[in-house]
Amino acid sequence: MDPLYDVAVVGYGPTGLTAASLLGRLGHRVVVCERWPGLYGLPRLTHIDDETARTVQAAGDVDEALRDSSLCQYLWLNGKGETLVRIPADPRGPMGYPDHISMYQPDVESAIDKRLRGYGTVDVRQGWAVTGLDQDVEAVTLRLRGWNSDGACADGPHDEVRARYVIAADGSRSGIRELLGVERQDLGFNEPWVNIDTEWLRPQPPEFAYGTQYCDPARGHMTINIGTTRQRFEFALLPGETREEMTSPETAWRLLREYHDLGPGDVRITRQLVYGFEARIATRWRTGRVFLTGDAAHTMPPYLGQGACSGLRDATNLAWKLHLVLGGRASDALLDTYESERRPHVTAITHAAIGLGKVANTHDVEAAAARDAAFFAGKVPPPPPFPSLTHGVLRQGTDAPVGTLTPQGRIRLADGRTGRFDDLTGYGFALVAAENPATALGPERLARLERLGCAVVALDTVDDLDGRHREYLQLLGAVAYLARPDFVLFGTATDRTDLAALVDDLDAALSGTVGAAV
């Protein structure tokens, strides 16, 4: 058996890639166990938001990852082609990226894979399936078998790896979840759709350069751009239609011609399969030293484009907490805040996605007409605000919007280096102050922040090129704010005295959560 790893990551999709890269960046010994012998190479997800793009920035070369990406606004139309909802895309989202991005998943995965292989601390084992696990008070042992397209090879090679913690990022059919005996709550949304991915053989027509959801009771369908050279088409299955029928090339061309007047001279089909759109959440996300993340922990309908985004939020939330625990700067109990913070957040998003899914999957003609009338009359309430964290590692007892996301702009340091804020300050906590906080904090608190890996940025010593960080401080009515590594606002300081208390409260929050001060 190999020496003890800090973390084993099972599954090498976007969530597993991100978790492995962030932990590798922080210097931890990570082993990845993935049954497929290579990266998937095809797009399952097509949309990310600006928060997710910022996470990709932390995990890989974001410019390489988004080299074939574009804005992605959304239109929701009824069966007559009338607009029910228009969701615009802001090219300048608060994280430094558009707030709705259409991208090509293999580019994102390749960029993160390339980055993490350069750390020298991440052992990627592709072509190995996890067939069993045992855990004790110190670590988890994973039993591995060589794997091919027929499944785990009973008489093939086998191995074991041992790690202090395990992150299960092995998808909605998670083998780790099954081994742990964890059930899932079914939230009652189950709709089969056929997915047809294509590449354009001619320049992408303007009417396809965004996402359109057709809420037609005769057959719901949609199309979305995948960057600028590819297109996805999806169609709801009607009663009596079989998986075999809907995955035949003849069916694909019939649907593309009937609904979009497209044929073999316009696009090339690269992928065709039936998906079951579902909403299910695991009843527990932690079992001892094993954590469920991404689709292993939660699945949702695709109508908000938040499935993969939620998985990457899991990865970055868990990575910084594991880093503190593995480094001896917090106790294991800090890891309990992973589920307590993430579960309410993703549950709210899932219910919002279900609500949109019901709009898209209204099959009754009279119900669809009533739905349309409600939209046209302005009687449909707007979607709820995007959820924030409400408890966990947050400063309590203030009016500041703790648990919301902090922005990212471009800055220029005193030495002349210019770039995105995170690229110049690193992956970790960040204390951003209007003026140099050294006197207010004193050497002991500064040393505590340094041990925590917290960047201290005084805006009077850097050029805030976009004005984004100064504007944010003004919006908060604060002299400083403290951001967590997952971009979440821990708390703010209203004056120099409160600045010292802010740092003390971070210690207290961690101490109260984990039982030992950082």
Side-chain angles (χ1 to χ4, degrees), residues 322-345:
L322 280 168
H323 173 60
L324 291 182
V325 172
L326 290 165
R329 292 186 290 274
S331 81
D332 175 271
L334 174 62
L335 302 176
D336 289 333
T337 65
Y338 160 64
E339 181 175 349
S340 66
E341 290 183 353
R342 290 290 306 127
R343 177 186 285 276
H345 189 277

Side-chain angles (χ1 to χ4, degrees), residues 168-179 184 292-293 295-297:
D170 53 341
S172 61
R173 299 179 181 179
S174 170
I176 297 296
R177 190 183 63 235
E178 293 297 319
L179 288 170
R184 290 191 296 169
L292 302 180
T293 62
D295 284 355

Side-chain angles (χ1 to χ4, degrees), residues 223-348:
T223 179
I224 187 171
N225 54 318
I226 306 176
T228 59
T229 61
R230 301 172 179 88
Q231 199 79 23
R232 171 166 294 174
F233 301 90
E234 291 179 338
F235 301 88
L237 270 63
L238 302 181
E241 292 180 334
T242 66
R243 182 179 297 267
E244 291 72 23
E245 173 190 358
M246 298 304 287
T247 52
S248 72
E250 294 78 13
T251 296
W253 290 120
R254 175 176 60 81
L255 293 170
L256 292 176
R257 178 66 70 188
E258 178 181 350
Y259 287 91
H260 299 287
D261 196 25
L262 296 174
D266 302 299
V267 295
R268 179 174 70 88
I269 295 175
T270 59
R271 182 172 180 253
Q272 181 180 355
L273 74 165
V274 171
Y275 268 123
F277 295 158
E278 64 175 28
R280 298 180 183 180
I281 300 179
T283 55
R284 67 176 187 272
W285 296 11
R286 180 181 189 181
T287 302
R289 293 177 170 271
V290 183
F291 300 87
L292 302 180
T293 62
D295 284 355
H298 45 77
T299 57
M300 68 180 70
Y303 303 100
L304 277 174
Q306 285 293 314
C309 298
S310 296
L312 267 66
R313 290 188 192 101
D314 294 345
T316 190
N317 183 293
L318 192 52
W320 70 264
K321 294 172 181 177
L322 280 168
H323 173 60
L324 291 182
V325 172
L326 290 165
R329 292 186 290 274
S331 81
D332 175 271
L334 174 62
L335 302 176
D336 289 333
T337 65
Y338 160 64
E339 181 175 349
S340 66
E341 290 183 353
R342 290 290 306 127
R343 177 186 285 276
H345 189 277
V346 79
T347 299

Side-chain angles (χ1 to χ4, degrees), residues 356-373:
L356 283 176
K358 290 179 179 178
V359 172
N361 289 275
T362 301
H363 306 299
D364 181 84
V365 173
E366 292 184 0
R371 173 203 66 195
D372 297 350

Side-chain angles (χ1 to χ4, degrees), residues 24-374:
R25 177 176 180 173
L26 293 167
H28 298 290
R29 294 194 67 240
V30 179
V31 60
V32 176
C33 305
E34 166 58 52
R35 62 179 183 168
W36 291 100
L39 296 176
Y40 187 62
L42 292 171
R44 287 162 291 188
L45 66 104
T46 61
H47 165 274
I48 60 174
D49 57 21
D50 55 333
E51 178 190 357
T52 306
R54 190 175 180 183
T55 300
V56 173
Q57 176 190 337
D61 183 336
V62 69
D63 296 311
E64 178 68 17
L66 300 181
R67 61 192 176 95
D68 183 17
S69 64
S70 60
L71 291 176
C72 187
Q73 66 170 326
Y74 288 90
L75 287 176
W76 286 61
L77 309 179
N78 65 9
K80 299 177 181 178
E82 299 168 318
T83 300
L84 300 178
V85 180
R86 182 186 298 271
I87 304 174
D90 183 353
R92 295 186 69 254
M95 298 291 184
Y97 302 93
D99 60 352
H100 292 293
I101 303 170
S102 167
M103 35 59 70
Y104 185 53
Q105 179 181 346
D107 288 345
V108 176
E109 294 187 349
S110 295
I112 299 176
D113 175 71
K114 181 178 179 181
R115 171 75 64 81
L116 70 82
R117 289 179 187 272
Y119 293 135
T121 59
V122 183
D123 179 8
V124 180
R125 299 193 178 190
Q126 292 167 298
W128 290 91
V130 176
T131 59
L133 69 81
D134 300 293
Q135 55 179 316
D136 53 42
V137 295
E138 295 181 348
V140 183
T141 300
L142 298 178
R143 295 188 292 278
L144 312 179
R145 285 281 186 179
W147 192 91
N148 57 33
S149 58
D150 296 324
C153 306
D155 57 351
H158 63 275
D159 200 356
E160 289 185 350
V161 296
R162 188 164 166 81
R164 291 178 63 185
Y165 293 97
V166 171
I167 296 175
D170 53 341
S172 61
R173 299 179 181 179
S174 170
I176 297 296
R177 190 183 63 235
E178 293 297 319
L179 288 170
L180 295 172
V182 176
E183 301 292 332
R184 290 191 296 169
Q185 178 188 9
D186 189 337
L187 299 183
F189 188 95
N190 296 278
E191 295 283 346
W193 285 54
V194 62
N195 175 109
I196 304 169
D197 284 346
T198 66
E199 288 183 349
W200 287 103
L201 300 177
R202 57 186 176 90
Q204 183 187 58
E207 64 268 26
F208 289 102
Y210 47 85
T212 304
Q213 181 74 52
Y214 298 88
C215 307
D216 187 346
R219 185 196 295 270
H221 59 105
M222 66 85 66
T223 179
I224 187 171
N225 54 318
I226 306 176
T228 59
T229 61
R230 301 172 179 88
Q231 199 79 23
R232 171 166 294 174
F233 301 90
E234 291 179 338
F235 301 88
L237 270 63
L238 302 181
E241 292 180 334
T242 66
R243 182 179 297 267
E244 291 72 23
E245 173 190 358
M246 298 304 287
T247 52
S248 72
E250 294 78 13
T251 296
W253 290 120
R254 175 176 60 81
L255 293 170
L256 292 176
R257 178 66 70 188
E258 178 181 350
Y259 287 91
H260 299 287
D261 196 25
L262 296 174
D266 302 299
V267 295
R268 179 174 70 88
I269 295 175
T270 59
R271 182 172 180 253
Q272 181 180 355
L273 74 165
V274 171
Y275 268 123
F277 295 158
E278 64 175 28
R280 298 180 183 180
I281 300 179
T283 55
R284 67 176 187 272
W285 296 11
R286 180 181 189 181
T287 302
R289 293 177 170 271
V290 183
F291 300 87
L292 302 180
T293 62
D295 284 355
H298 45 77
T299 57
M300 68 180 70
Y303 303 100
L304 277 174
Q306 285 293 314
C309 298
S310 296
L312 267 66
R313 290 188 192 101
D314 294 345
T316 190
N317 183 293
L318 192 52
W320 70 264
K321 294 172 181 177
L322 280 168
H323 173 60
L324 291 182
V325 172
L326 290 165
R329 292 186 290 274
S331 81
D332 175 271
L334 174 62
L335 302 176
D336 289 333
T337 65
Y338 160 64
E339 181 175 349
S340 66
E341 290 183 353
R342 290 290 306 127
R343 177 186 285 276
H345 189 277
V346 79
T347 299
I349 292 175
T350 301
H351 282 294
I354 290 173
L356 283 176
K358 290 179 179 178
V359 172
N361 289 275
T362 301
H363 306 299
D364 181 84
V365 173
E366 292 184 0
R371 173 203 66 195
D372 297 350

